[in-house]
Amino acid sequence: MAPQVIDHRGGVWSIAVPIPDNPLGHTLVHLLETDRGPVLIDTGWDDPDSWDTLTAGITACGFTPADIHGVVITHHHPDHHGLSATVRETSGAWIALHAADTALVRRTREAVPGQWLDYLVAKLTAAGAPEQHLAPLRAARRGRTSAGRQPALPDRDIAPGELLDLPGRRIRAIWTPGHTPGHVCLHLEETHPVADGRPGFGRLFSGDHLLPGITPHIGLYEDPDEEAPDLLDRGDPLGDYLDSLARIARLAPAEVLPAHQHAFPDAAARVRELLAHHEERLADLRALLHEPLTAWQLATSMQWNRPWEQIPHTSRTIAVSEAEAHLRHLVKRGHAEPVAGADPVRYVAV
């Protein structure tokens, strides 16, 4: 099957690279012409079919995989960073990522086998997860085999606000933490090639930060190696995300080129929708906390895209992390607090 390739004009293409067994379907990998050769923004999932699709898409854009000069990664998740090592082996391309996400990649490469599962079981236990949810994780820990291919370690940092070293192009890195601590959007500071009178300036490669019809997952940043003892001293991913959204709204690009779904105009309007969505969710959660609840209990009461009983095991773990991120933000605002001495940890509105 021919790859789904869209010519966005002005030396910018998107290639729909499949994500195996995932409802998102695909990652939109963007290819950008520069004076030194084509540069990819993200790469897609590390899978043979995904690699075949990416290479066919690069060919459809008029290049070969060996021509790739560099890879700019919006964030470290495997549907964005997964094929970076293969691209580098094929072309010798450099790989750039924000330092906060590079640190996560490095920890993944250096982790002791089973360390993450141990941490996850401990976190879920503290969140009030029942034993039937924990049992599969314990079994996976006992039966863990050697890990597969390691994610590529980037060789360039992306500094917030910098113009990337892409000759013939003006692309500025906009640090947008929230979905991950090192997520970046990339602002192509060039006049839109389609003269249709649309407002705004340039185009924004938004990764997962700003999507036209879905909200990105906002969970917790913590890793097995570090966690501040005081809740108020820990990170606030949702707060970071809301601040980052406001920054993108002020940027006002003429068009957004996200990593999933499709390109769209009017970033500010989409930001308003997302800000309203999270404020409504925070208000709903605060109302639920009229009585002490664990993060697990709160997650089971939140509105998801399907009933809790139909949510798969892995997605439930992600949902609990999202509930905890919202709880963390309510605590930071002074609207909730943990109940002293509760085990598992419970929260109540204040």
Side-chain angles (χ1 to χ4, degrees), residues 247-306:
R247 189 157 56 250
I248 292 301
R250 293 191 295 270
L251 192 65
E255 186 176 31
V256 180
L257 301 175
H260 302 288
Q261 298 190 303
H262 54 82
F264 63 99
D266 203 348
R270 182 58 181 146
V271 165
R272 288 193 295 272
E273 292 174 354
L274 289 168
L275 292 174
H277 163 77
H278 284 287
E279 288 300 328
E280 181 179 358
R281 170 162 278 192
L282 287 165
D284 290 345
L285 297 189
R286 190 180 183 191
L288 288 170
L289 292 173
H290 67 277
E291 59 177 344
L293 295 174
T294 65
W296 179 274
Q297 291 170 326
L298 203 61
T300 64
S301 301
M302 292 171 67
Q303 294 296 316
W304 305 105
N305 61 359
R306 70 189 87 174

Side-chain angles (χ1 to χ4, degrees), residues 132-261:
Q132 61 262 37
H133 185 81
L134 299 173
L137 296 172
R138 299 189 204 277
R141 174 66 176 89
R142 290 192 298 270
R144 186 173 178 83
T145 58
S146 60
R149 183 185 182 90
Q150 290 185 318
L153 192 63
D155 43 42
R156 292 190 182 186
D157 286 340
I158 298 176
E162 76 168 342
L163 282 172
L164 302 186
D165 182 18
L166 302 177
R169 293 292 195 177
R170 283 186 61 87
I171 290 197
R172 192 174 303 278
I174 312 297
W175 184 35
T176 50
H179 185 55
T180 71
H183 192 291
V184 295
C185 294
L186 304 162
H187 188 206
L188 182 58
E189 298 179 340
E190 301 171 11
T191 302
H192 199 289
V194 180
D196 57 4
R198 69 182 71 196
F201 175 67
R203 291 181 277 183
L204 184 77
F205 299 99
S206 66
D208 282 1
H209 181 68
L210 195 62
L211 303 169
I214 55 178
T215 58
H217 166 65
I218 308 298
L220 296 183
Y221 292 158
E222 281 87 16
D223 66 90
D225 297 325
E226 56 188 7
E227 187 170 301
D230 188 337
L231 187 63
L232 289 173
D233 291 336
R234 300 177 198 168
D236 180 14
L238 180 57
D240 291 344
Y241 181 64
L242 299 178
D243 290 345
S244 299
L245 282 176
R247 189 157 56 250
I248 292 301
R250 293 191 295 270
L251 192 65
E255 186 176 31
V256 180
L257 301 175
H260 302 288
Q261 298 190 303

